[in-house]
């Protein structure tokens, strides 16, 4: 097998183990609630209900879903089987809507918001960081402190400030939601325009904060690379500065890719809270609602989905990284 | 002749004067194949060559230097330490520079790799790929076999200059004398031979003492040694930086060796 | 050690961060002594704008937001501190064990660390918080600390495993010193600056984590934190009511606290890193 | 000087790193006998296993198979107390002076620790006396150094300080792993002469690890030449260098540039 193939298999194995741990946590932690979780949940859910038949029916639904009478490992197998067959439980808040249906409606919004925002922020941040390191002087004196400040603003703080400034005071952008709720979703220009207008502020707040963190990391990596021996050697052989800058940029970029993989979890978390501020119809806002209503199946559906998405993103980044960094291939060959 | 920075880069660096750094381990960009790097050098100095011509030229040069063409397709970290050093030398000299400056090119290598590097440098000189070689090292026996002339530096100054033969067997300056006395080689008579030692440490270059910079560690230092500036003296075809006449120094050394 | 502290005092970045932080700590310690009112007491109408009496107006329940903010900052700092201590202590122990002992234990601990680095910590945080009914701010802080140790562990492991092969450690070993003594005197001094920096970062991320889960409505009970203030503002639709004072000051306070901690960290990084690299 | 009493010996020592496909044998079936009061050089290039062998002798690495006897008895290292007892007889100097020192403690503490290690109860004056004596043994001045941190010293000074430490501890066995490869030529002479002095005056047994046959020849009584984990030739220094038997030894010697003899560069 090729060195890269080995790398992929090894990574896949580790992500598979991680996935199982994530699923197990998702299964175990909510079951730490003292007593019978189903009665706790049902009691909370059926508050004010008097009809014992309804209560019984609700109880039976959840007892079956949890496999409550079975030993823990059997419950776990039931849980995994349910997950695999697409049965992620029934929402309390929107009973009897399945959790998967709610998540499916939210996923496009979250992905449409976060994926472009994180990527754009990452790219701009890296370019700015490299420029600050390479040009030094004024660039560095301006970009670095600004990036440092922006980086320390939490996603949701920036979101709230933007909401207040641009939506509430200046009224440039709408305050709530993913589109104008008076419209019927369709592929019309009007609807797309509305989606874009609702998209702008949350998008910008994620982009800005991401830029800050990435620019700092890239600046540091570039300075490190600029001081390395190969830069001096290339200079002494008469290679022009712009070409050396390209070497440096590429080499500083590689650790930034792993950096992205490692920070993507935190970024996704921050962005989800950003959604709440704008009541954006994604996973974050649903989770907010679910927590307020103590809608356990939906909460655990959200957390599982987030964990899966982050694992998948990490795995993808690792594969890309292994593909473009020759050092990984060489390291694999040394192992043999 | 004065040159601007840009002219220096395009006309001199790499094609007139070239350089071999001390740490070949890190001298090559880790994410660039060797041939890509050579192509980049050629783009600067021989832009008229096509990629194919560059490849042919590189293969030819590498093969004359007993390096396989496979090296060209490798990434630096796929090469061993000695191999990397020889690759760096081949790259540094691919434009046939007039002067090659080698800064401790063998200090991190095993003796076998060291010998291979020395052979390579000699080969380059014989073939006329380079015209002059400046070899910086603290390994004296090595210099003796590689270079024609040796120049000894102490605390930022040249203290003596002469042919390799003269410097090893007939040093004039007290520092050179001590340095040559500290040579250790696996030759008969080495055991039991008294090695020269220099007490003290070199001066801090931020606060250079007046007079001879070696005076504090020199067995023959007199009060005159610590005054004014000591100039380089010429003696026959060589020069040294000491106020004592060469013959007197030689006499002292002869007494000492008894 | 004194030597390092003296250099630190000369770093403008570190000093800016430290002064900001100390200033905030000073205010939140002293102000409750002057204004002895209960921050949860309703003393005005809902969403009163700031005036000379209510410096930052009132919230939905007519409570003094300035007083709430002071208590909120206090809780957030406490939570950050406790979370930082937990995360650093766990990370340090795991990192040292993994890096110093090596072998199978290292492989095992590294695998666990890597798994928990990839699984987003706030997912675990939410799952635990949902499962625990009565969360004091200490419990919240402890949970945050327990979910965020992997970063410290990874950094400490990397440092330790390279230090372990340094010859002064070998010399200490053949001088017959015990393992705890070697870790204490030969390893810890080298990683001390890293650990302090990691602690500062953990404190910042602990404060952020608390604010995030509080905003989700999973914050500590019976207390006021900056995240809880913002949660109230969002739940009771302060933005729609135009009551900027109900969320902007809290949001900015978090930014200022994190900024001051990041500044301290950057200042330390600039000073300690070149020294260790050379 | 060299006696006939064996201090330490090894039989069929082997060290294997890793397992399965990653298995590498660093030291392969090496046997040796080192006598009291002799300097033994172990010569080899990088990857020859000389440092691994040294670490096994030091008791820092566990041998995969084979055994080491110390003073005629099999060496016991199972318990920490056993190791501590063994280590009382052993000290080491390593290649990189910058990594041999704990950069956080001053020179004074380093030397004081040596006194403490021996469990000596000395007055302040006696301690000072001892430290001064050790420094002057290696041509250093205690007054100039005691208040300095290691990173304020030159490489040569640091290595000499390491020898001062050995002088204070006077172990039975000293393992010097390439102690001169990172210092300048003049400090090198001093260090080698110190090692000879430690042997002559204190009867110390010294294992000198080097890649340089020249140094080994100059300093040692007995030579062991290692190639890829195996000892290919051993014997009195004079015999091995002047009349090498094994082709590898010959190659090693011919690869070193000489001064009085021609250097075959073909």
């Amino acid at each position: 097998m090729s060195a890269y193939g080995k790398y992929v298999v090894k990574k896949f194995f580790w992500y598979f183990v991680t996935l199982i741990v994530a699923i197990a946590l998702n299964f175990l932690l909510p079951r730490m609630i003292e007593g019978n979780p189903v009665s706790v949940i049902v009691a909370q859910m059926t508050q004010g209900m008097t009809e014992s038949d309804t209560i019984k029916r609700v109880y039976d639904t959840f007892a079956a879903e949890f496999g409550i009478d079975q030993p823990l490992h059997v419950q776990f197998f039931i849980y995994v089987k349910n997950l695999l067959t697409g049965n992620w439980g029934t929402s309390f808040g929107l009973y009897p809507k399945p959790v998967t249906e709610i998540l499916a409606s939210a996923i496009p919004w979250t992905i449409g918001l976060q994926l472009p925002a994180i990527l754009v922020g990452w790219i701009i941040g890296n370019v700015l960081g490299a420029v600050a390191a390479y040009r030094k002087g004024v660039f560095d004196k301006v970009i670095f402190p600004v990036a440092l400040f922006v980086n320390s603003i939490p996603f949701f703080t920036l979101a709230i400030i933007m909401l207040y400034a641009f939506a509430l005071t200046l009224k440039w952008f709408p305050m709530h939601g993913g589109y104008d709720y008076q419209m019927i979703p369709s592929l019309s220009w009007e609807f797309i325009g509305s989606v874009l207008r609702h998209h702008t502020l949350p998008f910008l707040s994620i982009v800005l904060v991401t830029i800050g963190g990435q620019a700092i990391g890239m600046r540091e990596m570039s300075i490190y690379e600029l001081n390395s021996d190969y830069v001096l050697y290339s200079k002494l052989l008469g290679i022009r500065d712009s070409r050396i800058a390209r070497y440096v940029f590429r080499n500083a970029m590689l650790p930034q890719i792993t950096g992205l993989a490692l920070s993507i979890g935190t970024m996704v978390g921050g962005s989800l809270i950003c959604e709440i501020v704008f009541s954006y119809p994604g996973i974050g806002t649903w989770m907010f609602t679910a927590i307020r209503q103590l809608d356990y199946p939906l909460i655990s559906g959200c957390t599982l989905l987030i964990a899966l998405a982050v694992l998948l993103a990490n795995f993808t980044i690792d594969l890309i990284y292994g593909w473009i960094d020759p050092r990984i291939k060489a390291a694999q060959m040394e192992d043999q | 002749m004065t040159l601007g920075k840009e002219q220096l880069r395009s006309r001199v660096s790499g094609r007139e004067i070239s350089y071999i750094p001390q740490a070949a381990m890190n001298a090559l960009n880790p994410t660039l194949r060797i041939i890509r790097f050579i192509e980049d050098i050629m783009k600067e100095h021989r832009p008229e060559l096509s990629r194919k011509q560059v490849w042919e030229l590189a293969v030819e040069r590498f093969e004359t230097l007993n390096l396989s063409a496979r090296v060209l397709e490798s990434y630096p970290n796929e090469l061993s330490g000695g191999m990397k050093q020889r690759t760096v030398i081949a790259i540094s000299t691919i434009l046939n520079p007039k002067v090659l400056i080698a800064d401790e090119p063998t200090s991190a290598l095993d003796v076998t790799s060291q010998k291979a590097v020395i052979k390579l440098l000699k080969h380059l000189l014989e073939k006329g790929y380079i015209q002059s070689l400046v070899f910086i090292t603290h390994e004296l026996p090595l210099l003796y076999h590689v270079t024609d002339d040796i120049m000894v530096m102490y605390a930022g100054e040249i203290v003596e200059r002469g042919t390799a033969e003269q410097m090893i067997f007939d040093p004039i300056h007290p520092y050179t004398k001590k340095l040559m006395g500290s040579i250790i080689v696996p030759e008969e008579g080495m055991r039991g031979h008294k090695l020269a030692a220099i007490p003290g440490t070199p001066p801090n270059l931020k606060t250079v003492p007046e007079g001879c910079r070696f005076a504090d560690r020199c067995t023959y230092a007199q009060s005159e040694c610590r005054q004014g500036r000591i100039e380089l003296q010429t003696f026959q075809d060589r020069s040294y930086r000491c106020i004592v006449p060469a013959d007197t120094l030689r006499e002292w050394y002869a007494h000492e060796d008894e | 050690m004194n030597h390092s502290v003296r250099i630190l005092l000369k770093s403008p970045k570190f000093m800016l961060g430290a002064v900001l932080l100390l200033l905030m700590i000073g205010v939140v310690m002293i102000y409750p002594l002057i204004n002895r009112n209960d921050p949860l007491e309703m003393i005005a109408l809902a969403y009163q704008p700031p005036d000379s009496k209510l410096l930052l107006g009132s919230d939905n329940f007519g409570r003094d937001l300035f007083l709430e903010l002071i208590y909120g900052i206090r809780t957030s700092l406490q939570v950050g501190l406790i979370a930082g201590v937990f995360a650093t202590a766990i990370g340090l122990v795991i990192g040292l064990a993994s890096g110093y002992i090596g072998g199978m234990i290292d492989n095992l601990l590294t695998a666990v660390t890597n798994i928990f680095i990839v699984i987003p910590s706030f997912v675990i945080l939410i799952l635990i918080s949902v499962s625990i009914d009565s969360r004091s701010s200490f419990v919240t802080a402890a949970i945050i600390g327990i979910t965020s140790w992997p970063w410290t562990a990874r950094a400490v492991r990397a440092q330790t495993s390279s230090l372990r092969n340094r010859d002064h450690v070998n010399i200490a070993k053949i001088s017959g010193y015990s393992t705890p003594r070697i870790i204490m005197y030969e390893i810890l001094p080298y990683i001390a600056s890293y650990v302090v920096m990691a602690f500062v970062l953990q404190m910042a991320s602990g404060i952020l984590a608390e604010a995030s889960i509080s905003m989700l409505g999973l914050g500590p009970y019976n207390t006021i934190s900056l995240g809880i203030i913002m949660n109230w503002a969002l739940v009771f639709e302060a933005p729609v009511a135009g009551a900027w004072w109900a969320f902007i000051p809290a949001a900015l306070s978090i930014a200022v606290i994190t900024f001051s901690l990041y500044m301290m960290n950057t200042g330390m990084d600039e000073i300690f890193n070149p020294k260790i690299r050379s | 000087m060299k006696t006939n009493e064996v201090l330490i010996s090894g039989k069929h020592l082997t060290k294997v790193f890793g397992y399965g496909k990653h298995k590498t044998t660093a030291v392969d079936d090496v046997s040796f006998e080192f006598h009291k009061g002799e300097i033994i050089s172990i010569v080899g290039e990088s990857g020859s296993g000389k440092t691994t062998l040294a670490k096994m002798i030091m008791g820092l690495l566990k041998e995969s198979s084979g055994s080491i006897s110390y003073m005629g008895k099999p060496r016991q290292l199972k318990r920490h107390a056993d190791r501590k007892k063994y280590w009382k007889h052993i000290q080491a100097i390593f290649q990189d002076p910058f990594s041999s020192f704990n950069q956080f403690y001053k020179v004074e503490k380093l030397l004081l620790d040596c006194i403490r290690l021996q469990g000596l109860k000395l007055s302040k004056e006696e301690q000072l006396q001892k430290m001064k004596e050790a420094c002057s043994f290696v041509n250093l001045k205690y007054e100039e150094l005691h208040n300095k941190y290691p990173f304020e010293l030159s490489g040569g000074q640091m290595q000499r300080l390491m020898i001062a430490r050995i002088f204070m501890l006077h172990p039975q066995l000293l393992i010097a792993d390439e102690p001169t490869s990172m210092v300048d030529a003049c400090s090198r002479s001093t260090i080698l002469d110190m090692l000879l002095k430690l042997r002559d005056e204190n009867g110390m047994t010294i294992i000198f690890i080097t890649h340089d046959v020249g140094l080994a020849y100059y300093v040692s009584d007995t030579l062991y030449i290692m190639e890829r984990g195996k000892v290919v030739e051993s014997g009195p220094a004079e015999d091995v260098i002047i009349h090498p038997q094994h082709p590898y030894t010959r190659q090693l010697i011919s690869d070193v540039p000489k001064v009085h003899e021609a250097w075959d560069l073909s």
Side-chain angles (χ1 to χ4, degrees):
Chain A
M1 205 192 303
S2 72
Y4 184 65
K6 276 204 170 139
Y7 171 82
V8 173
V9 170
K10 207 167 126 194
K11 283 279 165 196
F12 182 81
F13 170 76
W14 277 111
Y15 276 98
F16 187 71
V17 172
T18 311
L19 177 72
I20 293 189
V21 173
I23 292 175
L25 284 174
N26 225 57
F27 163 80
L28 269 179
L29 292 176
R31 277 166 182 73
M32 289 182 351
I33 311 172
E34 283 163 54
N36 176 350
V38 176
S39 9
V40 174
I41 291 165
V42 173
Q44 266 160 0
M45 224 197 121
T46 52
Q47 256 169 23
M49 281 193 204
T50 44
E51 230 177 297
S52 59
D53 272 1
T54 325
I55 297 178
K56 177 89 179 62
R57 212 178 62 230
V58 172
Y59 184 91
D60 288 345
T61 316
F62 288 112
E65 238 168 48
F66 274 70
I68 199 76
D69 316 320
Q70 319 277 347
L72 204 62
H73 68 273
V74 179
Q75 288 186 39
F76 183 65
F77 284 121
I78 294 175
Y79 178 77
V80 174
K81 201 184 104 203
N82 284 345
L83 287 185
L84 291 177
T85 50
N87 174 12
W88 288 32
T90 312
S91 161
F92 299 171
L94 292 171
Y95 186 80
K97 222 177 195 185
V99 166
T100 39
E101 204 173 291
I102 300 174
L103 293 180
S105 75
I107 287 173
W109 294 102
T110 294
I111 291 181
L113 177 64
Q114 296 199 4
L115 191 67
I118 291 177
L119 279 180
V120 168
W122 185 74
I123 292 168
I124 300 179
N126 279 312
V127 171
L128 283 181
V131 169
Y134 190 71
R135 283 289 175 82
K136 301 192 186 91
V138 186
F139 278 91
D140 196 29
K141 290 221 166 65
V142 176
I143 293 176
F144 182 57
V146 171
L148 209 57
F149 182 69
V150 173
N151 183 44
S152 50
I153 304 177
F155 284 90
F156 51 83
T157 296
L158 195 67
I160 284 186
I161 292 171
M162 285 197 145
L163 175 82
Y164 180 73
F166 298 112
L168 204 69
T169 312
L170 295 169
K171 300 205 189 317
W172 290 354
F173 295 99
M175 281 181 58
H176 285 290
Y179 58 93
D180 196 335
Y181 287 121
Q182 282 151 357
M183 277 190 233
I184 297 151
S186 64
L187 265 180
S188 66
W189 286 115
E190 212 188 349
F191 181 73
I192 293 171
S194 168
V195 167
L196 284 180
R197 255 181 296 122
H198 283 80
H199 185 263
T200 313
L201 283 185
F203 175 78
L204 282 181
S205 42
I206 299 173
V207 167
L208 276 178
V209 177
T210 311
I211 288 178
Q214 294 303 319
I216 294 171
M218 184 64 178
R219 172 182 174 271
E220 204 163 285
M221 281 320 303
S222 301
I223 290 177
Y224 175 81
E225 290 288 333
L226 276 170
N227 289 327
S228 51
D229 291 347
Y230 71 82
V231 170
L232 180 70
Y233 183 56
S234 307
K235 267 190 188 157
L236 287 169
L237 288 178
I239 291 181
R240 67 187 65 218
D241 286 355
S242 58
R243 188 160 284 137
I244 295 175
R246 242 183 291 157
Y247 296 168
V248 167
F249 186 71
R250 189 190 144 98
N251 291 354
M253 200 74 181
L254 292 168
Q256 282 294 94
I257 294 176
T258 19
L260 177 67
L262 290 174
S263 56
I264 207 144
T266 321
M267 283 189 200
V268 169
S271 313
L272 289 174
I273 298 193
C274 220
E275 288 182 4
I276 302 173
V277 172
F278 291 100
S279 315
Y280 203 74
I283 307 283
T285 306
W286 274 112
M287 195 152 69
F288 185 53
T289 317
I291 287 169
R292 272 199 296 166
Q293 298 175 337
L294 290 174
D295 187 344
Y296 288 106
L298 186 52
I299 297 174
S300 109
C302 287
T303 50
L304 186 63
L305 184 70
I306 296 163
L308 287 181
V310 170
L311 286 191
L312 189 67
N314 264 299
F315 184 56
T316 316
I317 295 170
D318 269 348
L319 292 193
I320 296 173
Y321 182 72
W323 183 247
I324 56 182
D325 191 342
R327 281 169 289 197
I328 292 256
K329 291 180 204 168
Q332 289 293 311
M333 280 193 261
E334 273 163 31
D335 276 356
Q336 288 168 18
Chain B
M1 182 169 67
T2 48
L3 287 170
K5 216 178 148 194
E6 176 59 22
Q7 285 166 307
L8 186 72
R9 180 188 70 73
S10 62
R11 288 204 212 146
V12 178
S13 296
R15 68 169 32 176
E16 295 286 316
I17 301 173
S18 198
Y19 179 77
I20 304 171
Q22 184 168 10
M25 314 299 135
N26 309 318
L28 295 166
N29 182 350
T31 60
L32 212 58
R33 287 181 202 273
I34 305 297
I35 185 67
R36 298 284 162 275
F37 186 51
I38 294 176
E39 279 168 13
D40 283 351
I41 296 170
M42 290 305 181
K43 273 181 214 152
E44 303 294 348
H45 298 292
R46 306 270 308 269
E48 72 280 4
L49 294 180
S50 70
R51 269 181 88 161
K52 196 163 161 278
Q53 285 169 307
V54 172
W55 169 256
E56 280 161 3
L57 193 144
V59 169
E60 197 200 323
R61 174 57 63 89
F62 269 57
E63 277 171 356
T64 25
L65 300 178
N66 290 324
L67 283 163
S68 138
R70 262 185 41 216
V71 171
L72 289 169
E73 285 289 1
S74 311
Y75 285 103
N77 54 351
E78 294 166 5
L79 307 173
S80 70
M83 193 61 125
K84 228 185 265 185
Q85 184 62 285
R86 284 161 63 201
T87 306
V88 166
I89 293 173
I91 294 173
S92 288
T93 53
I94 203 156
L95 292 160
N96 298 345
K98 293 207 176 72
V99 182
L100 178 67
I101 301 169
D103 183 2
E104 303 243 18
T106 64
S107 62
L109 303 177
D110 274 333
V111 280
T112 315
S113 306
Q114 167 176 299
K115 193 174 181 182
V117 165
I118 298 302
K119 274 196 215 165
L120 183 60
L121 288 171
K122 282 236 159 200
H123 197 64
L124 286 165
L125 280 163
E126 279 159 18
K127 288 249 175 189
Y129 293 148
I130 53 173
Q131 288 164 27
S132 339
L133 172 66
V134 179
F135 196 100
I136 302 167
T137 185
H138 64 272
E139 286 279 340
L140 293 163
L142 203 60
L143 271 188
Y144 175 63
H145 292 278
V146 178
T147 62
D148 303 312
D149 285 1
I150 297 179
M151 208 159 78
V152 175
M153 289 189 72
Y154 179 78
E157 281 181 339
I158 296 167
V159 294
E160 187 170 355
R161 179 182 177 158
T163 64
E165 197 84 11
Q166 289 169 338
M167 296 290 277
I168 301 282
F169 297 108
D170 176 28
I172 295 178
H173 193 280
Y175 176 67
T176 321
K177 173 73 186 167
K178 291 274 189 190
L179 211 52
M180 302 311 158
S182 69
I183 292 177
I184 302 174
V185 285
E187 287 176 346
E188 227 169 330
M190 199 64 226
R191 279 166 64 75
H193 163 90
K194 181 86 189 108
L195 289 180
I198 308 178
T201 43
N204 185 339
L205 288 182
K206 278 177 204 152
T207 52
V208 191
E210 201 191 334
C212 176
R213 294 183 178 183
F214 186 61
D216 280 346
R217 306 172 72 186
C218 182
T219 0
Y220 311 106
Q222 309 155 359
S223 54
E224 298 88 69
C225 291
R226 300 175 207 275
Q227 284 159 16
R229 213 188 121 72
I230 312 292
E231 294 301 332
L232 216 52
Q233 318 270 329
T234 322
F235 172 75
Q236 291 158 2
D237 55 341
R238 44 204 291 214
S239 45
Y240 67 100
R241 195 184 295 277
C242 184
I243 53 169
V244 183
D247 289 330
T248 318
L249 281 167
R250 278 179 179 160
E251 243 170 70
W252 287 347
Y253 298 155
H255 275 287
E256 207 173 58
D257 287 342
E258 274 163 17
Chain C
M1 217 54 207
N2 288 327
H3 186 62
S4 323
V5 173
R6 238 177 295 130
I7 311 175
L8 265 184
L9 296 180
K10 282 189 196 138
S11 156
K13 287 197 182 101
F14 179 81
M15 284 311 282
L16 175 67
V19 166
L20 260 177
L21 191 70
L22 286 177
L23 218 69
M24 265 184 297
I25 293 174
V27 170
V28 300
M29 298 295 275
I30 293 165
Y31 188 78
L33 299 177
I34 301 168
N35 183 346
R36 288 173 173 276
N37 289 334
D38 181 357
L40 292 173
E41 196 185 337
M42 301 169 198
I43 53 164
L45 294 172
Y47 293 138
Q48 289 294 303
D51 59 27
S52 57
K53 201 172 143 284
L54 293 171
L55 291 173
L56 285 174
S58 65
D59 69 1
N60 177 57
F61 300 108
R63 300 179 293 206
D64 182 352
L65 262 165
F66 185 73
L67 196 58
E68 281 190 75
L69 189 73
I70 296 291
Y71 277 88
I73 295 177
R74 201 161 84 169
T75 311
S76 289
L77 285 173
Q78 276 169 357
V79 168
L81 197 72
I82 297 166
V85 167
F86 266 88
T88 309
I90 300 173
L92 189 63
V93 170
I94 292 186
L96 279 175
S98 176
Y100 191 78
I101 300 171
M104 280 312 284
I105 290 181
D106 182 26
N107 290 343
L108 188 77
L109 289 177
T110 307
V112 172
T113 307
N114 286 342
I115 286 175
F116 281 96
I117 275 185
V118 179
I119 298 176
S121 62
F122 74 92
V123 163
I124 305 176
L125 194 57
I126 290 171
L127 286 171
I128 300 181
S129 300
V130 167
S131 317
I132 297 180
D133 257 349
S134 51
R135 301 176 295 270
S136 65
S137 59
F138 180 82
V139 169
T140 305
I143 300 171
I144 293 173
I146 290 167
T147 54
S148 54
W149 56 268
W151 292 99
T152 308
R154 177 183 268 204
V156 170
R157 190 206 90 94
Q159 291 288 320
T160 308
S161 62
S162 78
L163 280 168
R164 182 176 65 132
N165 294 322
R166 280 176 68 101
D167 291 330
H168 63 86
V169 175
N170 283 331
I171 287 177
K173 273 189 195 161
I174 53 175
S175 297
Y177 292 131
S178 63
T179 306
R181 202 204 126 110
I182 292 175
I183 290 180
M184 190 68 203
Y185 290 98
E186 307 291 333
I187 306 271
L188 275 182
Y190 280 87
I191 60 174
S193 61
Y194 267 85
V195 173
V196 172
M197 277 159 55
F199 170 73
V200 169
L201 281 185
Q202 293 283 16
M203 187 169 161
S205 67
I207 289 171
L208 285 180
E210 186 278 331
S212 304
I213 58 159
S214 294
M215 259 182 92
L216 280 170
L218 289 172
Y221 289 169
N222 298 326
T223 184
I224 302 170
S225 77
L226 293 172
I228 292 174
I229 296 178
M230 290 204 283
N231 176 260
W232 285 332
L234 284 178
V235 170
F236 301 109
E237 309 216 299
V240 185
W244 57 266
W245 55 87
F247 50 88
I248 298 268
L252 281 180
S253 301
I254 293 176
V256 172
I257 297 174
T258 23
F259 180 66
S260 64
L261 289 169
Y262 280 175
M263 271 314 219
M264 286 169 70
N265 180 66
T266 312
M268 286 193 274
D269 192 42
E270 283 173 358
I271 287 162
F272 294 132
N273 269 350
K275 196 176 134 198
I276 283 175
R277 276 177 201 149
S278 64
Chain D
M1 273 303 213
K2 187 178 165 178
T3 60
N4 286 326
E5 194 182 336
V6 174
L7 181 73
I8 187 165
S9 63
K11 282 210 177 62
H12 309 296
L13 279 179
T14 299
K15 178 72 194 175
V16 182
F17 286 113
Y19 39 84
K21 270 194 287 181
H22 306 289
K23 199 162 108 172
T24 46
T25 308
V27 172
D28 191 358
D29 192 22
V30 168
S31 299
F32 58 82
E33 261 186 5
F34 299 156
H35 299 86
K36 255 191 180 160
E38 71 170 332
I39 297 185
I40 307 100
S41 280
I42 301 176
V43 187
E45 295 186 282
S46 59
S48 63
K50 58 188 194 299
T51 296
T52 309
L53 179 61
K55 289 231 162 103
M56 283 198 284
I57 296 174
M58 279 182 236
L60 289 175
L61 278 179
K62 206 176 164 295
E63 54 274 15
S64 303
S65 64
S67 62
I68 292 178
S69 296
Y70 182 72
M71 286 172 126
K73 277 178 250 151
R75 186 178 72 171
Q76 286 291 336
L77 292 180
K78 277 225 176 63
R79 291 176 304 130
H80 185 71
D82 292 333
R83 288 197 290 271
K84 224 173 147 170
K85 217 167 109 201
Y86 177 64
W87 283 335
K88 273 215 177 320
H89 299 248
I90 285 184
Q91 271 305 325
I93 308 171
F94 294 99
Q95 174 174 16
D96 180 0
F98 297 90
S99 124
S100 301
F101 282 85
N102 187 331
Q103 303 292 338
F104 287 86
Y105 303 122
K106 289 179 180 166
V107 170
E108 192 175 14
K109 182 175 157 32
L110 178 92
L111 296 173
L112 274 176
D113 276 351
C114 295
I115 296 176
R116 281 196 207 113
L117 259 180
Q118 292 169 293
L120 299 176
K121 295 268 177 296
L122 298 176
S123 68
K124 276 252 169 329
E125 290 75 50
E126 285 169 317
Q127 288 182 343
L128 203 65
Q129 184 57 38
K130 241 184 138 51
M131 294 192 284
K132 279 184 179 167
E133 194 191 337
C135 285
S136 66
F137 176 75
V138 292
N139 288 334
L140 292 171
K141 289 200 182 73
Y142 175 78
E143 291 74 17
E144 289 172 11
L145 291 176
H146 75 283
N147 216 8
K148 284 196 169 156
Y149 285 99
F151 54 84
E152 296 171 286
L153 309 178
S154 74
Q157 282 177 316
M158 285 195 215
Q159 265 333 32
R160 278 188 277 161
L161 209 56
M162 272 290 143
I163 294 182
R165 203 177 155 265
I166 304 302
F167 176 79
M168 291 177 83
L169 293 168
H170 53 78
Q172 293 286 319
L173 179 64
L174 168 65
I175 294 146
D177 187 355
E178 302 251 15
T180 60
S181 71
M182 289 176 79
V183 299
D184 60 280
C186 291
S187 294
R188 185 174 73 182
S189 315
T190 315
I191 290 168
L192 294 177
D193 287 340
M194 297 303 155
L195 293 179
L196 292 170
K197 222 158 128 191
L198 282 173
R199 175 194 65 184
D200 297 343
E201 291 174 9
N202 299 44
M204 210 176 275
T205 307
I206 299 172
I207 302 174
F208 185 81
I209 316 272
T210 184
H211 67 275
D212 189 324
V213 264
L215 295 191
Y217 177 56
Y218 174 75
V219 83
S220 50
D221 304 300
T222 310
L223 277 183
Y224 281 74
I225 310 278
M226 281 187 79
E227 185 196 13
R228 273 182 263 137
K230 286 189 184 299
V231 171
V232 297
E233 185 165 0
S234 65
E238 206 69 40
D239 294 356
V240 175
I241 298 299
I242 308 303
H243 310 289
Q245 300 299 314
H246 195 276
Y248 180 72
T249 315
R250 285 193 200 135
Q251 187 210 324
L252 212 55
I253 296 169
S254 84
D255 282 348
V256 176
K258 321 273 186 319
V259 172
H260 298 280
E261 295 162 25
W263 194 30
D264 181 20
L265 270 174
S266 58

